[in-house]
Amino acid sequence: MDLQQLKTFLEVCQTRHFGHAASNLYLTQSAVSFRIRQLESQLGAALFVRHRNNLQLTAAGERFRQHAESIITRWEQARLDVASQQDRAPTLSLASTTAIWQAWLGPALLDLHDELADRHWQTETLTPDQISRRLLERSLDLAILPVPLKVDELNSQLLTSLPLVLITPGGVTAEQALEHNFVHLDWAPNLPSSSQPEPLPTASLRTSDLSLAKQWITRNNGAAVLPESLLQHEQVSWQGWPELTRTELPLYLIHHASHPDLANLAPVIDYLLQR
C-alpha cells in the first residue's frame, strides 16, 4: 500500500466514477482500476460495488475511507512539520466550515498574520465531524465552530459572537423576500445551532456557502439571516431588518487539551480571544 493508491481511492470516493477520477489524476482509467484492485487485494475486502450504474462504497470501503483520509492528512502534516523545522518557522493548521471562513475567520487570519508574521499556516475547510476526528488525532492544531465540542480531550473557548440579522437587497421588503426566496445558511452542517431563529419560512435554498447565499438573494430578491457587518462593509446595497430577526452566532476556538506545542499556540489563541 502506498500514498498514490490511497489518493486514487479517495478520488474515486469523491467522484464515484473511475473515468472522472482518472481524468482528475491525469491517469488512464485502467491505471485507476488497477490501483483499486491492488488495494482490495491487500485489504482482503471489496471497497466499491456498482448499483444501478452508480459506484457505491461498501461497508468496508466506508470504514477504510476514514483511515485513508487520516493517513494522507498525517503524511501532509509530517511533510509540513519537517519543512517548517528546516525553515525554522512553525506551521499551524487551522480549520472551520465554509460559512465561518467566509464570514469571520478569513479576515481574522489576515489580521493574525500581520501580528504573527513568523508563522506559516495551513488552512482547511472541514465538516464538524472531520474537525473533531482530526483534533483528537492531533493532526489539526486549531478549529473554529459555532458550538463547543463536548469531548473530554478537547478544549473549547468562546471567542466571540457574530451578530446576525435578516437581510434583503435594498428596495425589497422583508415580506416580499420571505414569501418565496428565503435562504437558510448552514454554519456547521449536522450540528445543532440556535443561530437560525424560528419561525421562518421554508427555505428555497439551504447552503453552507455564504457567497452563494448572497448571490441567490441578490438575483431573486430574497432574504437570509446573515452577518450584520455586511450592511457596512459591502458595496452591494443591503437592507437589514433587525426588528424582525436578530440573533448572534457564537464562535468557539477548539484545540486538543494536551496539544504537544501549546507554547506555540498560546500567542495565536491570545490574539483571537482579544480580537
Side-chain angles (χ1 to χ4, degrees), residues 5 50 121 138 149 154 157 169-170 184 193 196 205 215-216 232 241 256 273:
Q5 287 177 327
R50 290 192 179 276
W121 296 94
R138 305 190 193 188
L149 294 181
L154 301 181
Q157 297 173 267
H184 178 100
S193 174
Q196 199 74 43
L205 172 69
Q215 293 172 24
W216 186 278
Q232 288 84 35
W241 302 87
H256 199 290
L273 287 171

Side-chain angles (χ1 to χ4, degrees), residues 4-272:
Q4 295 307 315
Q5 287 177 327
L6 297 181
K7 290 179 180 178
T8 301
F9 167 71
L10 292 174
E11 189 63 35
V12 176
C13 290
Q14 180 69 28
T15 62
R16 300 300 171 98
H17 195 281
F18 282 99
H20 294 164
S23 177
N24 292 344
L25 294 170
Y26 301 100
L27 296 171
T28 63
Q29 186 168 333
S30 60
V32 169
S33 298
F34 178 70
R35 288 182 179 180
I36 298 301
R37 287 198 304 272
Q38 280 186 312
L39 267 179
E40 291 177 328
S41 176
Q42 292 163 356
L43 293 167
L47 299 174
F48 295 98
V49 63
R50 290 192 179 276
H51 178 67
R52 296 181 181 178
N53 297 323
N54 289 324
L55 196 63
Q56 300 293 332
L57 282 165
T58 63
E62 289 284 3
R63 291 195 299 273
F64 183 65
R65 182 178 189 171
Q66 294 186 11
H67 294 294
E69 290 174 344
S70 178
I71 292 169
I72 293 296
T73 298
R74 284 183 171 274
W75 163 252
E76 184 63 19
Q77 181 128 0
R79 186 185 65 80
L80 290 173
D81 184 61
V82 171
S84 69
Q85 290 298 318
Q86 291 176 338
D87 295 339
R88 296 186 179 180
T91 296
L92 298 176
S93 54
L94 179 62
S96 191
T97 62
T98 301
I100 293 174
W101 269 116
Q102 294 171 334
W104 188 85
L105 189 51
L109 180 58
L110 292 174
D111 293 342
L112 177 58
H113 184 64
D114 290 340
E115 293 293 322
L116 302 172
D118 61 327
R119 264 68 170 181
H120 292 173
W121 296 94
Q122 178 187 355
T123 64
E124 301 190 52
T125 301
L126 302 172
T127 66
D129 286 344
Q130 290 172 323
I131 285 174
S132 179
R133 186 171 69 249
R134 293 276 303 280
L135 287 169
L136 289 171
E137 292 172 350
R138 305 190 193 188
S139 60
L140 178 66
D141 293 313
L142 294 167
I144 309 291
L145 285 175
V147 295
L149 294 181
K150 297 181 179 179
V151 180
D152 289 343
E153 295 91 337
L154 301 181
N155 187 326
S156 299
Q157 297 173 267
L158 180 63
L159 272 180
T160 188
S161 292
L162 190 64
L164 306 177
V165 297
L166 184 70
I167 289 178
T168 67
V172 178
T173 68
E175 290 74 17
Q176 291 171 330
L178 289 170
E179 186 174 358
H180 298 296
N181 283 302
F182 175 70
V183 175
H184 178 100
L185 184 61
D186 197 351
W187 293 95
N190 302 322
L191 280 186
S193 174
S194 60
S195 64
Q196 199 74 43
E198 300 294 344
L200 283 171
T202 301
S204 62
L205 172 69
R206 297 179 66 95
T207 181
S208 60
D209 190 319
L210 174 59
S211 297
L212 177 59
K214 292 189 293 184
Q215 293 172 24
W216 186 278
I217 67 174
T218 299
R219 177 173 294 190
N220 298 297
N221 289 330
V225 179
L226 299 178
E228 189 174 29
S229 59
L230 296 181
L231 299 173
Q232 288 84 35
H233 301 307
E234 294 215 349
Q235 296 179 350
V236 177
S237 175
W238 297 112
Q239 186 169 355
W241 302 87
E243 68 277 11
L244 297 179
T245 300
R246 186 183 186 90
T247 186
E248 291 191 346
L249 179 76
L251 296 179
Y252 290 86
L253 176 66
I254 308 170
H255 62 85
H256 199 290
S258 300
H259 191 282
D261 194 8
L262 283 175
N264 188 35
L265 287 186
V268 176
I269 294 172
D270 290 344
Y271 176 85
L272 290 175

